[in-house]
Structure formats: structure tokens, C-alpha cells
Amino acid sequence: MKRAIALTFAAAGAMFAASFTGTITDSGCAKADHKAMNMGNDVQCTIACVQHGAKYVLYDGKTAYELSDQKTPEKFAAKKVTVSGTLDAKTNVIKVDKIAEAK
């Protein structure tokens, strides 16, 4: 039900507050698959990619959402988290209010 409501708002191009669960990764490896990069483990790859110009994103298994906060996600690199915030459906950016490890 929550997903259906989100999709309705997204289709309308609206902004809405919600919680989003997924993996913190980077825009260069947006599907959280770092094997081809040969840069060490997923945490190391995510942080290195961001240091080289990629952005932190939340990947929920289908979509990668850019995060407005590009500092806090570093400590959650490659971890499953819940991000609370407001999604701008036009830009696919979540304005981050809070990030916490998912339970």
C-alpha cells in the first residue's frame, strides 16, 4: 500500500515525505555491485567512487535515489539503511532528514 501511494505521488511529480530502505552505494555502482571495480570490498569501493566524483545513493533493489546529504552516508557505505526524508520525484533526489541502519 505504501509503495502504491508513493508511485501515485511520483507519477504526479509531487514531493512527499516517507521512509526508504535500501543499500547505501554510489552513483557509479548504482546497483550496489562493485565486483567489476576491483577496488576492494563494497565499503572501500563506495567511498573511493564518491571521492572520485560519484554521489552517494540509496539503492532499494530497483531504483537508485540520490541523497541530498553527501557526508552522513559515508559511515553507512554498503550497509542496509532506512532513510527518512522527502523525495523529489522529478529529480529522484531524497532530501535527507535522517539515516539509520535498517533492522
Side-chain angles (χ1 to χ4, degrees):
M1 181 68 176
K2 187 177 190 180
R3 189 139 204 65
I5 292 169
L7 291 174
T8 301
F9 283 112
M15 291 179 64
F16 61 95
S19 293
F20 307 87
T21 300
T23 302
I24 295 291
T25 187
D26 62 272
S27 58
C29 304
K31 292 186 177 180
D33 183 2
H34 304 272
K35 292 179 187 106
M37 299 301 287
N38 295 319
M39 297 178 75
N41 64 35
D42 292 348
V43 174
Q44 293 169 321
C45 183
T46 299
I47 293 170
C49 287
V50 170
Q51 289 172 344
H52 288 95
K55 299 275 188 174
Y56 283 112
V57 299
L58 178 76
Y59 179 62
D60 69 1
K62 294 181 182 181
T63 305
Y65 300 97
E66 186 177 323
L67 301 171
S68 65
D69 179 349
Q70 289 292 302
K71 292 181 183 178
T72 306
E74 182 174 349
K75 67 182 174 186
F76 296 104
K79 293 182 181 175
K80 187 172 181 180
V81 300
T82 299
V83 176
S84 300
T86 304
L87 174 65
D88 183 333
K90 287 183 180 180
T91 62
N92 217 31
V93 174
I94 298 173
K95 182 179 181 299
V96 177
D97 292 328
K98 179 180 161 189
I99 301 175
E101 277 197 62
K103 296 178 182 183

